[in-house]
Amino acid sequence: MRTMRSFITLAAVFTSSAAGARAPARFARAASRVAARPMMAARTALIAGNWKMNTVLPEALKLAAAVKDASVGAPGDVAICVPFPFLESVSKVLAGSKVGLGAQDCSEADKGAFTGAVSTGMLQSVGCAYVLTGHSERRSIFGESDALINLKTKKVLSAGLKCILCVGELKEQREDGTTDKVVAAQLAAGLKDVSEEQLGSIVIAYEPVWAIGTGLTATPEQAQDTHAAIRKWVQGAYSAAAADRLVIQYGGSVTPETVDELMACPDIDGALVGGASLVADKFARIVNFKA
Ligand code: 13P
């Protein structure tokens, strides 16, 4: 059973039974950090692992089986974004579990002479539910532009898959104080021509580039501030209801030691986990974050 992640304010007297089922301590703590929340938001947390270019087949199968077991009582949704060659075999391991299968990239084209590329149709045919777009490694190492990321995002959505669109600033940009501006520009470009209805299939992953693979996790305050700015941007670009519904993950050196405090923040609805998702025990603890 999925547990709804809810944030309680004064308006929470109108809370749903799902929200009411949650332990109040976390939300009381989270709610104390926001001045006024006009309505109650109920969002299901999503913890996703991004294996990047790691594992060989036997390792992938073992790790997937461990994630499946660890996720049985997890408080939110769980997904793993695995290398292309292992998608189909991992899909079989995950069958009947709550763990969603994700890919780390896709082509913006449907089919044809694109040597080495992988289409959304291919991903669907092997059981994928999620696709990452705009990861900072695709941006910096593979030179993906905002325009290309937008094409890929729209391709994922039009295929009926869920898209985890990644955004995040460089170290210099955080130091310059331009984080919100950089992230807003990435959102505007990545979500160009994405309708409010389609936004329902989008998860935003805020991944500060300086925190990825460095062991430098953003503080809960830094992450919360940027997540709130992202939600505010979505409110302006779409609507308050769309902003309220949007699941925003934090990514960047998330560990079992940092996940609970991050997840206690009112606008942090999940985590996108790299290194720690490759270690079964660590990822098991992260998916079972303490609310
Ligand atoms: P790390 O958790 O290794 O920092 O990676 C984060 C990331 O890039 C997930 O997409």
Side-chain angles (χ1 to χ4, degrees), residues 61 75 110 139 160 167 192 261 268 281:
L61 298 180
D110 283 325
R139 292 176 191 263
V167 296
K192 186 167 173 285
E261 224 192 333
I268 299 183
D281 289 352

Side-chain angles (χ1 to χ4, degrees), residues 14 23 33 52 66 74 91 118 124 126 131 136 153 158-159 164 182 191 221 234 247 252 279:
F14 301 111
R33 297 194 196 188
K52 306 190 181 183
S91 153
V118 174
Q124 269 175 319
V126 292
V131 184
S136 71
T153 299
S158 64
I164 302 178
V182 168
L191 295 173
E221 288 72 23
V234 171
V247 169
V279 183

